[in-house]
Amino acid sequence: MTTWTSDELNRIASADELEMAPRRGDGTLRGPVPIWVVRDGEDLYVRSFRGPDGGWWRTARASHQGHIRSGGVAKDVSFVEVADSGINDRIDTAYRTKYGRFGGAYVDPMVAARSTTLRLVPR
């Protein structure tokens, strides 16, 4: 399995946004959508602000593949659903820490969207 380099992790994690382009069923990429990204250890995670109704998230969940761009890094990735409550607790904290300056109107929906947590795995 491919892993992130330290440089890629640092560059993506320090960026405010990540451009997410999930792969559709026909193999084409959906148009990129800016979303928030957080790091936990050697992994990167995203969630859908709109919860399971988010269009990009539904596409990502169906295909489990896509392309991301952030911090000068562009990569094809696989999306792995995360149900582990311990990991999700850490992701909640990561969102609050990194994006707390934007206020509860933006951060609270991200914390509430635990069911949409996806780990980004480089391919």
Side-chain angles (χ1 to χ4, degrees):
M1 176 166 51
T2 305
T3 59
W4 297 105
T5 67
S6 291
D7 182 58
E8 290 170 334
L9 282 168
N10 291 333
R11 290 167 62 188
I12 294 170
S14 65
D16 273 341
E17 292 183 331
L18 173 142
E19 290 183 9
M20 164 70 69
R23 193 163 301 284
R24 296 181 181 115
D26 66 4
T28 62
L29 289 175
R30 187 183 151 102
V33 176
I35 62 171
W36 287 353
V37 59
V38 295
R39 178 179 179 176
D40 180 52
E42 300 301 307
D43 294 310
L44 297 167
Y45 297 89
V46 295
R47 288 180 176 168
S48 170
F49 180 83
R50 298 191 190 288
D53 294 328
W56 74 262
W57 185 82
R58 289 191 320 268
T59 304
R61 185 172 184 231
S63 71
H64 296 283
Q65 294 184 15
H67 187 81
I68 59 103
R69 185 184 319 259
S70 182
V73 177
K75 281 274 193 193
D76 288 328
V77 295
S78 295
F79 306 117
V80 178
E81 295 178 55
V82 178
D84 182 281
S85 62
I87 292 172
N88 271 299
D89 288 346
R90 294 193 308 269
I91 302 310
D92 291 349
T93 300
Y95 272 107
R96 287 185 182 112
T97 301
K98 182 174 180 180
Y99 297 107
R101 69 186 185 278
F102 293 106
Y106 294 100
V107 177
D108 291 349
M110 298 305 291
V111 171
R114 289 168 69 108
S115 67
T116 67
T117 305
L118 297 174
R119 181 168 50 98
L120 305 178
V121 179
R123 293 191 291 127

